[in-house]
Amino acid sequence: DAGVIQSPRHEVTEMGQEVTLRCKPISGHDYLFWYRQTMMRGLELLIYFNNNVPIDDSGMPEDRFSAKMPNASFSTLKIQPSEPRDSAVYFCASKWSRGNTQYFGPGTRLTVL
Amino acid sequence: DQQVKQNSPSLSVQEGRISILNCDYTNSMFDYFLWYKKYPAEGPTFLISISSIKDKNEDGRFTVFLNKSAKHLSLHIVPSQPGDSAVYFCAAYAPSGTYKYIFGTGTRLKVLA
């Protein structure tokens, strides 16, 4: 059974460019979470969805960040324009409403030059 | 404001000995706690959890202890094995509120052969 799938695994871009990260949650899971991992702050929750609806985006750092979930099997996190301080590993996770455990994807390592 | 703190960024333990990883929290509304393990270039994977109605939960070599009055939890690994070398994150949340996990910054465990 496939876990959470993220693409790309690595992304290198130049400052000012648009970046789109993609996530496919585990089938049947109705919660989806986007996290960012940095050395200083560890794992930070950016936004989460329930049944494709954004519930809490208070962790989104700036208006340059946006996330969508057009259907139950796909979500995107977009950064436009990107800046060097956005360099981090971005994780997507999903969970079933009746469970307590979130399942993480392998992450996307973003480098903004 | 770091609601979940892991004050030891790293820990080295000899193979076969006990590893003790610590985590402190400040929000008394948290009622569910989890530990995740993370290998390089992979997403965090669920290890063990505990509800606030318990003070101990065991799963094989892994035991989590919860001291609610001290707002402290710890993960014990006995005996430690080289394959346990990873970064360990504790997380907390209040299911009665939102499904937002609050993660600590992680502790890097190195088990020496």
Side-chain angles (χ1 to χ4, degrees):
Chain A
D1 200 10
V4 175
I5 299 172
Q6 290 187 248
S7 65
R9 292 295 311 274
H10 302 272
E11 177 80 37
V12 181
T13 190
E14 292 190 347
M15 183 174 64
Q17 296 297 306
E18 177 180 296
V19 174
T20 299
L21 311 181
R22 296 172 176 79
C23 175
K24 177 178 169 54
I26 293 172
S27 177
H29 284 190
D30 45 6
Y31 280 84
L32 184 138
F33 305 81
W34 282 100
Y35 290 88
R36 177 170 67 176
Q37 183 189 11
T38 61
M39 289 296 291
M40 290 300 296
R41 300 175 68 89
L43 277 163
E44 298 176 275
L45 178 66
L46 300 177
I47 185 171
Y48 79 93
F49 296 83
N50 177 218
N51 292 323
N52 315 336
V53 176
I55 303 300
D56 187 334
D57 64 355
S58 59
M60 297 284 262
E62 300 172 34
D63 290 346
R64 299 183 296 106
F65 286 69
S66 63
K68 293 182 180 180
M69 192 164 186
N71 57 62
S73 58
F74 183 66
S75 177
T76 59
L77 178 68
K78 187 176 293 186
I79 309 172
Q80 165 64 15
S82 57
E83 297 182 3
R85 60 191 166 125
D86 302 331
S87 297
V89 181
Y90 291 81
F91 290 102
C92 175
S94 69
K95 85 171 194 76
W96 185 45
S97 55
R98 295 189 181 187
N100 291 312
T101 304
Q102 295 182 17
Y103 295 86
F104 283 76
T108 295
R109 179 173 294 277
L110 173 65
T111 302
V112 183
L113 303 173
Chain B
D1 178 26
Q2 198 74 14
Q3 296 186 64
V4 177
K5 298 179 184 178
Q6 294 177 256
N7 291 318
S8 299
S10 64
L11 174 69
S12 290
V13 171
Q14 208 66 35
E15 181 180 6
R17 306 296 291 267
I18 184 171
S19 295
I20 300 176
L21 294 90
N22 294 303
C23 181
D24 297 293
Y25 62 97
T26 57
N27 189 340
S28 58
M29 297 297 291
F30 290 145
D31 57 7
Y32 201 83
F33 305 88
L34 308 94
W35 284 93
Y36 278 77
K37 179 168 71 173
K38 184 184 179 305
Y39 292 119
E42 295 183 12
T45 56
F46 171 72
L47 188 58
I48 192 169
S49 62
I50 188 166
S51 164
S52 61
I53 62 173
K54 294 185 175 182
D55 54 20
K56 178 182 173 182
N57 188 29
E58 280 183 86
D59 184 2
R61 297 186 297 113
F62 302 91
T63 303
V64 56
F65 295 92
L66 176 62
N67 182 334
K68 290 186 289 293
S69 61
K71 295 191 178 68
H72 177 83
L73 65 156
S74 60
L75 174 68
H76 292 211
I77 306 173
V78 183
S80 302
Q81 299 174 353
D84 297 329
S85 297
V87 178
Y88 290 78
F89 292 96
C90 69
Y93 83 109
S96 55
T98 72
Y99 286 101
K100 294 172 63 169
Y101 281 15
I102 306 298
F103 278 90
T105 50
T107 296
R108 182 176 300 276
L109 172 66
K110 188 171 185 179
V111 180
L112 307 169

